[in-house]
Amino acid sequence: MILLAIILIIIFLPLYISVYLYNNSKDKRIYFAIYLFNAIKLLDGYTTPRKLGGIYIHVFKDKAYVLDIETIKRLEGGSVNFFSAITPTNLYFSLDFGIKNANLVSLLLILFNTYINLGKFIKDKYPYFNSYANLNVYSIDKNYLSSKISLTFCFNIFCILVKIITNIISRGVKSEKKYFKT
């Protein structure tokens, strides 16, 4: 009975996953960390570009996983869509620029203002969504770019299972209609 209660809690409990990304133009790496409930680290590492296309994902010190272009294309066109069951709750975006040319600052401010105005439209669709943004511009001798992103989203296993099952049923209905038309 206790095991059934634990399973039901896991299925219906809302899970908060936080993804942290950091990119520095000098390293040509994207560092990442994934946390559960913003406290329990699930995974961390970094990615590097691959000469043949795709990326290397370094999770362990001596191993790297390869995510090639073909795998990425298969993920984009997947038929199981459960992303509507995932609700974004928090986004923090920080951009650090070191610029030789001061005229680029006006362009950056226009782009950043557009990002901030885009948040108003997102707020209508996701009322629990919070977005924060920082822009730091430094006057230095050479160009420098660094960005930090923190994204938190919420989901539960029950909603994802419902989306997957309804998607499979709708694909079956479509194929049945196609079969009976021929």
Side-chain angles (χ1 to χ4, degrees), residues 4 19-20 23 34 37 52 58 63 67 72 84 88 100 107 128-129 139 141 144 147-148 150 177:
L4 179 65
V19 178
Y20 296 94
N23 181 19
I34 301 172
F37 298 116
L52 300 173
H58 300 270
K63 287 186 181 179
L67 188 61
I72 294 171
S84 60
K100 288 192 287 187
L107 177 66
Y128 301 110
F129 182 73
S139 177
D141 290 339
Y144 169 77
S147 61
K148 296 173 222 151
S150 168
K177 288 180 183 178

Side-chain angles (χ1 to χ4, degrees), residues 151-182:
L151 175 66
T152 303
F153 52 91
C154 176
F155 63 92
N156 64 12
I157 297 172
F158 176 73
C159 290
I160 289 178
L161 289 174
V162 167
K163 290 288 183 182
I164 290 173
I165 291 169
T166 56
N167 196 353
I168 290 171
I169 290 171
S170 67
R171 283 190 311 165
V173 169
K174 287 179 186 176
S175 65
E176 180 184 6
K177 288 180 183 178
K178 187 187 291 185
Y179 177 75
F180 283 119
K181 282 183 181 179
T182 58

